[in-house]
Amino acid sequence: MRENGSIVTVAKRAKPLELKWLEDFVSLVRTRNFSRSSEERNVTQPAFSRRIRALELWLGADLIDRRAHPVALTEEGRRFRETADIVLNNLYHDRNRFRQLQHMARPDIRITAASTLSIGFIPSWLERMQRTVGPFTSRIMTERAHLMVRHLVDGGTDFVVQYFSPHAPALFATDRVCSFCLAREKMVLVAPCDRQGKAMVDPDRDGDTPYIGYSRGGYFAEIKSLIFAGKPAARQKFRRLSESPTSEFVKRMAIRFGALALVPQSCVGLEIAHRELIEIMNPGWSNELEIRIYRKVGIKRPFARKFWNRLIAQQTLPCPHSARLPERTYASR
């Protein structure tokens, strides 16, 4: 209710305070003109006037003397001007400070990688990249293959680093990502060593063959299926003792339980050198793999773009499978 042009409505009947009302008021104080301030605030003049009224209603006081031209402040308006300036300045100051802290805490690049690569490949690779790109911070995450796809497509990670075989399902549809080869290695079959340094288990020699496998849904499960498909007779003799999506677990279980395991060659270098494991060199028990890096088409983060461009500039490995990846992908599952 208004009496003699003044607001006497109790504040509890007003709408909740909105930040834009304070910004409108400060603009009007500066321009002293409803039309100019409505243009500055990108609203129509009637809407701007209603927002100033709403602020007055919330405060329970007239702030603007509408009889004066140009616009003048009432006594209450002059007192509230200082309050509005302090509130907005404090809010903007805190927002800028929090954003700066968040920016400082945010890594320059975010990489999602296979767990084996995050241990055996990523650290030395990042060290080399530091020498060419300069200092940067990173966050390394490990996920199952289908979650890697989701994180990259949704923008939750900048890059995915994963193994690749042209004969296994690709991680992504080719129209959604760019990728190239960073390195190559083999998937090999290993067995624990006996005291003479010979394999305790041989799939082509033994009848009952214990092995440690990979859980379905992981990329290594696909590679295992490819290798087994070429060895149907030996496959019939395999007796699976345990399974896991991670090659580190598979390797350790193979050593503990005297079983065979398919693992990336880099994963077992020390164990082979220490004669805990030995590679089964029989034909057909290995598979060539690429280590590939993927990024989403239209990368936006500035440092991630710089990082990718530097990778492209120093690329030396030919990538025979870059032009076309298999149609069947994890992204389409």
Side-chain angles (χ1 to χ4, degrees), residues 232-243:
R235 183 181 182 181
Q236 298 297 322
K237 301 183 293 183
F238 275 50
R239 175 170 51 89
R240 186 171 58 188
L241 302 182
S242 184
E243 65 178 29

Side-chain angles (χ1 to χ4, degrees), residues 67-240:
R67 297 168 299 180
H69 297 281
V71 168
L73 297 178
T74 63
E75 181 180 350
E76 291 84 356
R78 288 190 291 272
R79 289 202 299 265
F80 185 69
R81 174 182 179 176
E82 182 179 357
T83 300
D85 283 336
I86 291 173
V87 169
L88 289 175
N89 287 338
N90 287 342
L91 285 172
Y92 291 136
H93 176 268
D94 284 348
R95 183 185 68 172
N96 291 335
R97 182 164 59 90
F98 296 151
R99 285 181 173 181
Q100 289 174 2
L101 290 173
Q102 185 181 27
H103 180 74
M104 291 171 62
R106 182 184 302 166
D108 295 318
I109 57 170
R110 301 161 300 169
I111 298 172
T112 303
S115 58
T116 303
L117 291 173
S118 68
I119 297 170
F121 176 78
I122 297 289
S124 58
W125 172 62
L126 288 181
E127 182 184 24
R128 293 194 299 273
M129 289 303 299
Q130 291 262 5
R131 294 197 290 267
T132 60
V133 181
F136 60 86
T137 59
S138 60
R139 177 182 300 153
I140 312 301
M141 300 163 282
T142 59
E143 292 287 2
R144 299 289 292 273
H146 68 283
L147 292 178
M148 290 182 179
V149 175
R150 183 183 304 170
H151 287 328
L152 190 64
V153 171
D154 293 345
T157 191
D158 299 310
F159 305 108
V160 164
V161 178
Q162 174 61 299
Y163 290 105
F164 168 82
S165 168
H167 307 295
L171 277 179
F172 304 97
T174 55
D175 60 341
R176 304 178 79 177
V177 301
C178 301
S179 74
F180 67 84
C181 179
L182 294 174
R184 291 190 177 88
E185 76 164 314
K186 285 198 305 182
M187 193 82 165
V188 297
L189 185 69
V190 294
C193 292
D194 60 21
R195 294 188 178 185
Q196 287 73 43
K198 296 181 180 180
M200 295 174 59
V201 186
D202 189 312
D204 297 317
R205 179 195 66 201
D206 302 334
D208 181 60
T209 311
Y211 87 103
I212 311 298
Y214 289 98
S215 309
R216 294 184 62 183
Y219 197 73
F220 284 156
E222 300 284 350
I223 305 302
K224 178 199 71 177
S225 297
L226 285 173
I227 294 175
F228 278 14
K231 292 280 191 176
R235 183 181 182 181
Q236 298 297 322
K237 301 183 293 183
F238 275 50
R239 175 170 51 89
R240 186 171 58 188

